[in-house]
Amino acid sequence: MRVLLAITGGIAAYKAVDLASILRKRKDELKIIMTENAMKFVSPLTFAAVGNAEVYTDEFEYRGLISHTGLSSWADVMIIAPATANTMAKIANGIADNIVTASALAFKGPKILVPAMNVRMYENQVTQDNLEKLSKYGWKIVEPEIGHLADGEEGKGRYPENARIIFEMESLFTKKDMDNLKVLVTAGPTREAIDPVRYISNRSSGKMGYEIAKAAVLRGADVHLVSGPVNIQSPFNVKRYDVESTQEMAQRVLDILNQVDIVIMAAAVADYKPLETAQQKIKKGLSLDLKLVKTTDILSEISKVKRPDQFVVGFAAETQNLLENARHKFESKSLDMIVANDVSRKDIGFESDYNEVTVITKNETVHLERMTKNEIANSLLDILLKEIVKKN
Ligand code: CTP
């Protein structure tokens, strides 16, 4: 995405440096504009280096294009973060007296405003009126947070988490076709303790489940994510519950089940656990005999208690006879949809950001060619939504 990031002169300008860094890591194309006051807080060089981006500070500067008109037609989205009361007042009234306000006036695409200031300035009726006007003019306002402010006061005015700004940005470009749907996703492996320092687990990074949770929340769903131990940040706006063992995962899932419309079991659940867990560390010997017993099959438990209107999706991680094994699981676990993938392949699955899967439903079998897990997640949700319409 082509992002035009505008910085205005508030103390929170330093927090926008991290926003520039996040946008860069996401591989967005980034150009940055700054007001004169913004430069009193952070130098353009900092933004240029951290964001790996061109920084413009003069609306009449010519670098192959006139900066304010050129940049505003180049960008897909404009973000003003932080936005001061002064800049908001100017934009709300069509004033275009610097690179940021002039670009804002010329920009026709989706636009985000992140107000951050002292609480009294924020709560002043004139600022509130300007915000209302700006929202009417199409600005998505990311409201400031309540908390400790730079001058020692407490109140509403704090610059929000950058993850929230990114979420709002992605949200502007996402169709909201899962509004009103509640979704439960499981992700990652489960662990079964052998003793206090050892466990049995499955190979799973959790990436696929997290991408599904993220895609669903962006599409407007209310998402509960029950997660085994993984090394991934929670997607913004998702309710995450961390669990370790299969029993803990089963308990959480069954607790939440009643509240949701859709269950997606992407977790790589451990199938066996030690018959007994040693209370003390087992001392090393020549060999160790472990007696393993089956864990609870969470999907089978779900199928016993689910309502007919609930839609349940399972995954099948296979190394051979992919479709045959997946079809068997689809039937035996009474699923509405199963997503099968070949985990013997090195270029997809496990740690990879890519996947290639076959989806089986009552109505069709669809092969999704190798693509990013984000794209797979969205394609799975497309198929799922079509099936829900057919089911009800
Ligand atoms: N699953 C589950 N509870 C378990 C094991 C698996 O709910 N104890 C779910 C997984 O989350 C997945 C689906 O069942 O959605 C299939 O998991 P998989 O490990 O492929 O199959 P298993 O049923 O364990 O069968 P097998 O190991 O024999 O392939």
Side-chain angles (χ1 to χ4, degrees):
M1 211 174 313
R2 292 173 164 185
V3 184
L4 181 60
L5 174 61
I7 321 293
T8 70
I11 183 66
Y14 80 92
K15 296 187 178 171
V17 174
D18 195 40
L19 181 59
S21 161
I22 297 170
L23 289 164
R24 174 186 184 171
K25 286 186 198 128
R26 279 171 41 93
K27 305 212 181 342
D28 288 303
E29 282 184 70
L30 180 62
K31 292 191 194 291
I32 296 173
I33 53 182
M34 297 176 77
T35 61
E36 238 177 271
N37 282 343
M39 290 188 279
K40 292 182 184 159
F41 291 96
V42 183
S43 100
L45 180 63
T46 306
F47 278 104
V50 171
N52 188 32
E54 287 178 354
V55 179
Y56 295 75
T57 57
D58 174 359
E59 77 257 46
F60 299 115
E61 190 183 344
Y62 189 82
R63 293 191 214 169
L65 47 81
I66 300 173
S67 55
H68 66 286
T69 50
L71 292 172
S72 51
S73 51
W74 167 86
D76 298 317
V77 60
M78 179 172 183
I79 305 175
I80 308 186
T84 59
N86 186 42
T87 293
M88 293 194 310
K90 287 183 194 172
I91 296 174
N93 289 287
I95 294 171
D97 65 343
N98 62 35
I99 179 114
V100 171
T101 52
S103 302
L105 191 63
F107 184 64
K108 288 177 77 176
K111 45 204 179 191
I112 296 176
L113 198 78
V114 186
M117 66 200 71
N118 171 276
V119 57
R120 284 171 284 128
M121 292 170 84
Y122 181 73
E123 285 177 353
N124 191 309
Q125 195 55 49
V126 76
T127 303
Q128 290 302 313
D129 288 350
N130 285 334
L131 277 169
E132 208 181 305
K133 236 170 145 182
L134 288 162
S135 152
K136 202 176 73 196
Y137 293 150
W139 288 89
K140 167 76 203 169
I141 315 286
V142 180
E143 289 211 12
E145 287 171 5
I146 298 170
H148 180 77
L149 300 170
D151 37 24
E153 287 181 65
E154 292 281 327
K156 194 164 180 181
R158 265 174 79 86
Y159 183 93
E161 268 180 88
N162 282 315
R164 207 167 118 213
I165 302 170
I166 300 285
F167 176 81
E168 296 296 350
M169 180 181 90
E170 291 189 314
S171 216
L172 288 176
F173 292 90
T174 313
K175 53 182 185 288
K176 296 281 171 257
D177 54 0
M178 294 187 77
D179 259 345
N180 306 322
L181 285 175
K182 293 194 170 55
V183 186
L184 166 58
V185 183
T186 65
T190 57
R191 284 180 184 168
E192 306 301 335
I194 298 171
D195 68 15
V197 297
R198 302 182 179 94
Y199 57 78
I200 305 173
S201 190
N202 280 352
R203 281 184 68 184
S204 165
S205 65
K207 282 181 185 168
M208 195 62 246
Y210 274 66
E211 287 295 347
I212 293 172
K214 184 178 166 195
V217 77
L218 275 171
R219 288 167 77 153
D222 181 5
V223 180
H224 299 265
L225 174 62
V226 178
S227 173
V230 295
N231 201 1
I232 316 180
Q233 266 197 337
S234 291
F236 194 78
N237 257 8
V238 160
K239 293 176 202 72
R240 170 170 161 182
Y241 312 84
D242 287 324
V243 296
E244 213 164 294
S245 67
T246 303
Q247 201 45 45
E248 280 168 22
M249 182 172 277
Q251 195 62 53
R252 260 295 178 207
V253 164
L254 294 170
D255 280 351
I256 299 168
L257 183 63
N258 202 21
Q259 306 167 35
V260 299
D261 308 293
I262 300 163
V263 181
I264 304 175
M265 279 290 302
V269 184
D271 287 321
Y272 296 99
K273 62 179 178 188
L275 176 62
E276 278 169 33
T277 301
Q279 292 308 308
Q280 305 299 334
K281 185 180 172 193
I282 301 170
K283 283 302 183 194
K284 185 166 55 185
L286 275 181
S287 64
L288 173 66
D289 285 327
L290 273 182
K291 171 110 174 125
L292 301 178
V293 290
K294 266 172 82 172
T295 55
T296 309
D297 190 306
I298 305 174
L299 271 180
S300 302
E301 293 304 309
I302 292 174
S303 69
K304 286 184 203 154
V305 292
K306 69 177 178 190
R307 299 190 307 268
D309 63 288
Q310 288 178 308
F311 193 91
V312 181
V313 183
F315 273 69
E318 307 294 344
T319 54
Q320 57 184 352
N321 305 330
L322 183 71
L323 289 185
E324 199 184 312
N325 284 330
R327 285 212 170 89
H328 174 71
K329 284 177 195 171
F330 178 75
E331 297 296 339
S332 66
K333 300 190 187 214
S334 313
L335 300 175
D336 296 292
M337 178 165 141
I338 194 157
V339 182
N341 68 334
D342 179 348
V343 288
S344 66
R345 280 177 54 180
K346 290 271 176 294
D347 58 332
I348 52 171
F350 294 139
E351 293 296 327
S352 169
D353 288 331
Y354 290 83
N355 210 348
E356 180 175 328
V357 300
T358 302
V359 184
I360 301 170
T361 71
K362 290 193 178 76
N363 300 297
E364 58 179 350
T365 298
V366 186
H367 185 72
L368 299 176
E369 290 297 342
R370 183 177 184 273
M371 48 184 147
T372 64
K373 286 186 174 172
N374 170 267
E375 289 163 333
I376 293 271
N378 276 299
S379 302
L380 294 178
L381 294 178
D382 290 340
I383 299 172
L384 178 154
L385 290 177
K386 264 194 335 199
E387 288 293 323
I388 288 185
V389 172
K390 282 185 196 154
K391 185 173 172 179
N392 301 318

